[in-house]
Amino acid sequence: MGGFDRLRTSLRRALIEGGTMRVEPRSGAVAGAGDGRTTDGPTGIADDPGERPVPLPAPRGAPVAPVHPSVSSHDDADVPRGLRVVTAWSWRLLVLAAAGAVLLWLIGRLKTVLIPLSIAMLLSALLSPAVAFLRNRLRFPRSLATAVVLIAGLAAVVGTLTLVVNQFVDGFPELSDNAADGVQQIQDWLRNGPAHLSNQQLDESLAAAQRWLQENRAALTSSAVSTAAATIEFLASMFLVLFATFFFLRDGGRIWRFLVRLVPGAGREDLASAGEAAWLTLVAYVRATVLVAFIDALGIGLALLLLRVQFAFPLAALVFLAAFIPIVGATVSGSVAVLIALVTRGPIVALAVLLAVIAVQQLEGHVLQPLIMGRAVAIHPLAVIVAIATGVMLAGIIGALVSVPIVAVLNTGIRHLANRRRAEPPPEAVVVSGGP
C-alpha cells in the first residue's frame, strides 16, 4: 500500500501542476485507495469522500474578469465603485478635519507664545533690509547691526506713541465739551430732521442705553479688574517679541537651516526652496502694507487737517495701524474719524470726512494694492475674510493682525512645493538627449 500511495500522490501532483484542480483534505479525513470515486470538471476534482474540491486559478490563456484598481480584496469587488470612492474620500476628509481641529486647539492653548513669535516674524521681515544694509554696505557686525536697527525702530515707535498720547491728553477737555454739544446737535437733528422723533422716543432711547449700562456693569467691572493681569501678560509678550525679533534678525538663516536639517534628506531641498519663497513673500507683504498704510494715513490725516477736525494726528496714526488688518481695519478707522468729526464739527464736516475716507479707500483698493503688492502676495478676498475671522476668534485683534500674513506665507509655500513637484519628471520617465 505504501508504494501505491506514493504513486497516487505523484499523479495528484501532476494533475495540480497541469492546471486542472487541486483538492484540500478535510481535517481528520482518511483517504481511501482504489475506490474509483473521482469527480472531474470545471469546479474541482476529488478522489476521496473525505476530500472537498477547491478551485484553482484559471488555466493559462483562459479569460479573466477585469478588476478595478481600487479593489484591494475579493470582498471589495461586491461593493459598488461609487460607494468605495465616497467612503475613501470620507475617511480621509475626517482625518484632515480631526488634524485641523487638533491644530486649532494647540494654537488656542499656545497663543500666548505663538502670537508674539508671529509679531516678531513680521517685525523681522520689516527690519531685515535695514540690517542687511548695515552689514553689507557699512560692514557692521551681525549683532551690532541688529541692535542698531532694533533700537532705532523702538525709538520711532515710542516717539510716535508719546506724541499721540500727549495730543489726546491735551485735547480731551475740549473733546468732552464738543461731545456734549455734538450729542445735543444730534438730538435736535433727530427731533427736527427727517426722522421726526418725539421727545418721548428720545427719552426712551436714552433710558434703554442707561439700562444696558446697568445690566452690563458687572461685565465691565470684571474687565477693569482683569486689567492688571492683562498688563502683566502684555509686558511679558512685549519682552518676548523684542528678544525673538533680535534673534530672528541676527540668526534667522541659521535657525531656518537647522529646522530644514530635521527633515528627511529627500525633502530638504524642496522645503528650503519653499521657505525662501515664503520669506520673500512675507517681506514683500510687510513692505507693501507699510507703504499702503502710510499713504492712507497721509491722505486721511491731510483731509482732517484741512477740515480742522480735532485729533488729526492721533486719527492718522490709528488709520496707519488699522491698515495692517485688510478690509476691516480701514473701515473701522474711517468710522472713528467720521464719528469724531460728527461730534466735534457737526454733520456737514462729518460728511466731508466720510467722502475723503471713501476716496482714500477706493484709491487703496483699485490702485495701491494691485500696483504695490502685485500678484506675489495676491490672496482671494474670501480667504482674507476667513483668515481675519479665524484670527479674531483665536487671539482677538492681534490674531486679525497676523492672520493674513500667515495665509500669504502658507499660500506661497504650498504653491511653490506644488510647482516643484509638477516640474520634476516621474521616476520612470526616459530622458532622451538630443546630442550625438
Side-chain angles (χ1 to χ4, degrees), residues 310-374:
Q310 196 174 6
F311 300 122
F313 184 78
L315 290 175
L318 177 63
V319 171
F320 178 81
L321 295 176
F324 286 89
I325 304 176
I327 300 176
V328 179
T331 303
V332 173
S333 60
S335 301
V336 173
V338 172
L339 181 61
I340 295 295
L342 177 63
V343 171
T344 58
R345 296 300 306 277
I348 303 300
V349 177
L351 180 60
V353 172
L354 177 61
L355 294 177
V357 170
I358 293 176
V360 171
Q361 291 183 1
Q362 293 299 316
L363 177 65
E364 172 192 348
H366 294 87
V367 178
L368 298 179
Q369 292 281 357
L371 180 63
I372 298 176
M373 288 200 175

Side-chain angles (χ1 to χ4, degrees), residues 61-76:
V64 180
V67 179
H68 196 271
S70 64
V71 177
S72 60
S73 66
H74 293 288
D75 296 334
D76 293 339

Side-chain angles (χ1 to χ4, degrees), residues 51 64-65 68 75 90 99 130 140 240 257 285 298 327 350 359 363 370:
E51 298 173 346
V64 180
H68 196 271
D75 296 334
S90 299
F140 277 32
L240 181 57
R257 287 191 294 271
Y285 176 85
L298 181 63
I327 300 176
L363 177 65

Side-chain angles (χ1 to χ4, degrees), residues 9 16 24 37 39 44 62 78 99 117 128 145 194 213 232 234 293 298 328 333 382 387 420:
T9 302
I16 292 174
E24 179 179 342
R37 296 174 58 87
T39 302
D78 297 331
L117 291 180
S128 60
L213 290 175
I232 296 175
F234 174 77
L298 181 63
V328 179
S333 60
L382 179 60
R420 284 181 63 88

Side-chain angles (χ1 to χ4, degrees), residues 18-295:
T20 311
M21 301 300 270
R22 70 179 175 88
V23 295
E24 179 179 342
R26 297 177 184 268
S27 61
V30 180
D35 54 2
R37 296 174 58 87
T38 303
T39 302
D40 196 359
T43 59
I45 177 170
D47 52 5
D48 189 87
E51 298 173 346
R52 59 185 178 89
V54 179
L56 279 174
R60 297 178 181 179
V64 180
V67 179
H68 196 271
S70 64
V71 177
S72 60
S73 66
H74 293 288
D75 296 334
D76 293 339
D78 297 331
V79 181
R81 178 178 178 273
L83 183 58
R84 290 198 305 271
V85 172
V86 171
T87 305
W89 274 103
S90 299
W91 73 261
R92 286 174 172 85
L93 291 176
L94 287 175
V95 170
L96 290 176
V102 172
L103 180 61
L104 291 177
W105 179 79
L106 288 175
I107 292 174
R109 298 288 294 178
L110 301 175
K111 64 180 181 180
T112 307
V113 177
L114 295 178
I115 294 300
L117 291 180
S118 301
I119 296 176
M121 190 69 68
L122 293 178
L123 293 177
S124 301
L126 177 63
L127 301 176
S128 60
V131 175
F133 175 81
L134 292 180
R135 291 184 56 193
N136 299 330
R137 297 293 181 86
L138 302 181
R139 302 299 180 181
F140 277 32
R142 181 186 295 110
S143 300
L144 180 59
T146 304
V148 168
V149 171
L150 195 58
I151 292 174
L154 283 175
V157 172
V158 171
T160 304
L161 290 178
T162 302
L163 184 59
V164 169
V165 171
N166 288 336
Q167 286 196 3
F168 184 78
V169 171
D170 294 338
F172 184 77
E174 184 180 357
L175 177 64
S176 300
D177 298 338
N178 292 334
D181 296 339
V183 170
Q184 185 63 40
Q185 292 179 6
I186 293 174
Q187 290 180 355
D188 295 339
W189 181 79
L190 291 175
R191 187 182 298 109
N192 303 323
H196 291 292
L197 297 179
S198 62
N199 293 330
Q200 182 180 359
Q201 291 175 332
L202 290 175
D203 294 338
E204 290 177 356
S205 300
L206 293 176
Q210 292 177 356
R211 284 195 303 269
W212 182 86
L213 290 175
Q214 292 176 356
E215 293 173 357
N216 294 273
R217 181 179 300 174
L220 297 174
T221 305
S222 62
S223 300
V225 171
S226 62
T227 302
T231 303
I232 296 175
E233 182 179 350
F234 174 77
L235 293 176
S237 299
M238 288 300 299
F239 278 112
L240 181 57
V241 167
L242 292 177
F243 279 107
T245 303
F246 178 82
F247 287 108
F248 284 163
L249 288 173
R250 195 188 73 167
D251 301 325
R254 296 178 180 179
I255 296 173
W256 176 243
R257 287 191 294 271
F258 170 77
L259 295 176
V260 170
R261 283 196 296 268
L262 299 178
V263 179
R268 290 180 182 176
E269 184 179 356
D270 292 342
L271 181 61
S273 178
E276 292 176 0
W279 175 253
L280 293 178
T281 297
L282 183 62
V283 172
Y285 176 85
V286 174
R287 286 182 182 177
T289 304
V290 169
L291 183 57
V292 170
F294 176 76
I295 295 175

Side-chain angles (χ1 to χ4, degrees), residues 400-413:
L401 177 66
V402 301
S403 59
V404 178
I406 292 175
V407 170
V409 167
L410 293 177
N411 179 45
T412 301

